[in-house]
Amino acid sequence: MLTVRPLFVSTYPPEECGLATFTRDSADAVDLAAGEPVSALAAIRKTNPYGYEDPRVVHVIDNDSPGAYRLAADVANDGPCDVVSLQHEFGLYPGDWGARVLDFVRACRKPLVTTFHTLMTEPAAVPRRLIRTLAAHSQGIVVMTEIAARLLRTVYQVADPAMQVIPHGVPQLPWERDESHKTRLGLVGRRVICTFGLINRGKGLEHMIQAMPQVVAACPDIVYLIVGATHPQVKRHEGEVYRESLAEMAEALGVGAHVRFVNRYLSLPDLLEYLQACDVYVTPYPGKDQIASGTLAYALAAGLAVVSTPYLYAEEVLADGRGLLVPFAHSAGLAEAALHFLNDAAFRAEARRRAYEYARPMFWPNVGRQYLEFFSRVVTAHDANLGRLYRGLLATPSVKGRPNKLLHGGL
């Protein structure tokens, strides 16, 4: 297999967001698959003026600078990378619907692989056109589920033969579980429901809190852990208003002692400790249009019993008995599903087994190999196309006596 050098364009730690973590893990997995450090990063700076300790960060893109993405394209064009891995989600790039990302893709001369993290089932004209333009400039497209691939084909009319479904990568966790994780977290004797991730109003956490009185009545030893800091951009605009409203809701419902906030951005080892102490994992998200969820992917890797609303990613990964789906904004349904898992050990064990088996191909070493192989195919196809173009130009060096400009310095 051809070893290629990808340049990832994305947010990157110490930026605190799921996409930054995903990109770091992707680069690590590709380097592992290559057997050597081949990845580089063009890190998008959205909030604070971070310093990047990872030597793979070769360029920083300032979202507040008008020419930032044209400059980033110049860096990619002039640098040693063989392929650009562009991460796309709405809200990442500046401009109307993030349109300034087009400054980059139109100027980038390296083969481009775009990974779509968000797609809408009923997009307005502007975001639909943006996705189609990105796809048209991409030599490869990555999505994480078959549902997302189907959306691109049917809603966005993107029929790209170079579209690849590569699952969301996850850490490789052991199947075996014991009570040591609860002991270290001070949760001995408690049954644990958990949600993790950066907190914002799009998480639907209020619906699970509203479910807690019914759960507590049946399981007095239950505790609901909401693990994660408030999203940095949310905190900049409104502080801790949403988190404080959730705490007030729990108190008003009489379940304040059964709802705990772990209000910090956790390292991976700390996060996995909480996941492995969990009995039931919940994603009560209120919106349908979510085609990827790192938090749900991690829950599968931990072999957890999962209750979720039926957003697109959850519908696919929790099918065939790998979890329970409940309607959006349906607190009674969340309570009933959680209690089903808590009160039926055999049912819970079977769902956990199916979830863990499903997650095995998602372990990062497997995903890293898939990315590296796909990058290699894209670069090979791109080079072959350039070769055919060049040979065609050699065959027609002039037109009516005029030099062929592409041949004489235009390539």
Side-chain angles (χ1 to χ4, degrees):
M1 180 178 64
L2 173 70
T3 296
V4 298
R5 295 164 295 180
L7 174 71
F8 290 87
V9 178
S10 175
T11 52
Y12 199 74
E15 186 92 46
E16 294 180 350
C17 70
L19 188 59
T21 302
F22 172 87
T23 303
R24 180 198 60 204
D25 293 342
S26 296
D28 290 346
V30 167
D31 289 354
L32 178 65
E36 60 180 314
V38 295
S39 299
L41 287 304
I44 298 170
R45 188 172 65 204
K46 293 181 65 177
T47 52
N48 297 322
Y50 293 117
Y52 295 91
E53 297 180 358
D54 192 328
R56 296 177 298 183
V57 177
V58 298
H59 182 66
V60 177
I61 301 171
D62 183 356
N63 259 3
D64 294 328
S65 174
Y69 285 93
R70 183 63 180 82
L71 175 61
D74 291 341
V75 170
N77 294 335
D78 297 339
C81 72
D82 302 302
V83 61
V84 172
S85 176
L86 179 76
Q87 309 302 308
H88 180 269
E89 66 179 13
F90 291 109
L92 176 60
Y93 298 99
D96 187 22
W97 286 97
R100 274 178 47 200
V101 69
L102 299 181
D103 295 348
F104 178 86
V105 302
R106 287 169 174 154
C108 181
R109 297 193 301 272
K110 297 291 177 74
L112 181 68
V113 174
T114 299
T115 299
F116 289 110
H117 292 260
T118 54
L119 292 171
M120 289 171 281
T121 54
E122 298 178 358
V126 172
R128 181 178 182 274
R129 186 165 58 247
L130 176 66
I131 294 296
R132 286 176 53 81
T133 304
L134 282 172
H137 282 81
S138 301
Q139 285 70 51
I141 293 171
V142 175
V143 289
M144 298 178 199
T145 60
E146 294 293 342
I147 287 177
R150 196 156 57 246
L151 263 181
L152 277 178
R153 290 191 294 266
T154 59
V155 175
Y156 296 87
Q157 279 76 56
V158 173
D160 195 319
M163 188 189 303
Q164 182 85 4
V165 177
I166 301 178
H168 194 298
V170 293
Q172 192 164 345
L173 295 172
W175 165 250
E176 296 78 13
R177 299 272 292 278
D178 57 38
E179 291 295 306
S180 62
H181 305 288
K182 287 186 178 182
T183 300
R184 285 190 289 270
L185 295 173
L187 296 169
V188 174
R190 305 298 296 269
R191 286 189 281 183
V192 178
I193 298 172
C194 181
T195 298
F196 90 87
L198 293 172
I199 291 180
N200 60 68
R201 295 181 188 275
K203 298 290 186 180
L205 301 175
E206 60 274 15
H207 302 301
M208 188 61 218
I209 290 176
Q210 288 165 357
M212 286 303 293
Q214 184 177 344
V215 178
V216 170
C219 296
D221 59 351
I222 198 72
V223 61
Y224 178 34
L225 299 181
I226 299 175
V227 179
T230 297
H231 195 291
Q233 294 202 61
V234 173
K235 194 169 183 177
R236 283 175 63 190
H237 289 102
E238 64 173 35
E240 295 285 358
V241 172
Y242 179 56
R243 180 193 301 276
E244 290 167 358
S245 72
L246 295 175
E248 290 169 2
M249 176 185 291
E251 290 294 339
L253 292 171
V255 294
H258 297 269
V259 177
R260 296 184 190 176
F261 294 89
V262 182
N263 185 12
R264 63 182 189 275
Y265 191 82
L266 298 180
S267 67
L268 180 61
D270 287 344
L271 172 59
L272 298 182
E273 185 88 276
Y274 277 97
L275 284 179
Q276 291 174 293
C278 175
D279 296 294
V280 177
Y281 188 79
V282 179
T283 59
Y285 303 162
K288 179 83 170 177
D289 295 342
Q290 185 161 344
I291 60 168
S293 170
T295 63
L296 179 50
Y298 275 43
L300 294 172
L304 296 180
V306 179
V307 175
S308 179
T309 50
Y311 54 92
L312 293 176
Y313 185 73
E315 276 192 316
E316 181 162 323
V317 303
L318 296 181
D320 301 322
R322 293 185 291 267
L324 290 175
L325 296 176
V326 302
F328 294 107
H330 198 287
S331 297
L334 290 169
E336 290 164 9
L339 287 170
H340 192 174
F341 277 133
L342 291 168
N343 294 332
D344 190 334
F347 179 72
R348 183 172 70 249
E350 179 60 16
R352 290 188 57 232
R353 183 192 65 78
R354 294 185 182 201
Y356 188 77
E357 288 301 317
Y358 183 84
R360 282 181 180 275
M362 299 162 60
F363 291 161
W364 272 118
N366 300 325
V367 171
R369 284 192 293 272
Q370 292 183 61
Y371 271 108
L372 188 61
E373 290 167 1
F374 188 50
F375 291 157
S376 298
R377 293 200 303 273
V378 168
V379 170
T380 299
H382 180 264
D383 291 349
N385 288 337
L386 284 181
R388 284 193 292 271
L389 175 61
Y390 191 71
R391 288 191 296 274
L393 293 172
L394 285 174
T396 56
S398 63
V399 178
K400 294 183 179 180
R402 295 194 300 273
N404 189 312
K405 293 181 180 179
L406 284 176
L407 182 63
H408 297 279
L411 275 179

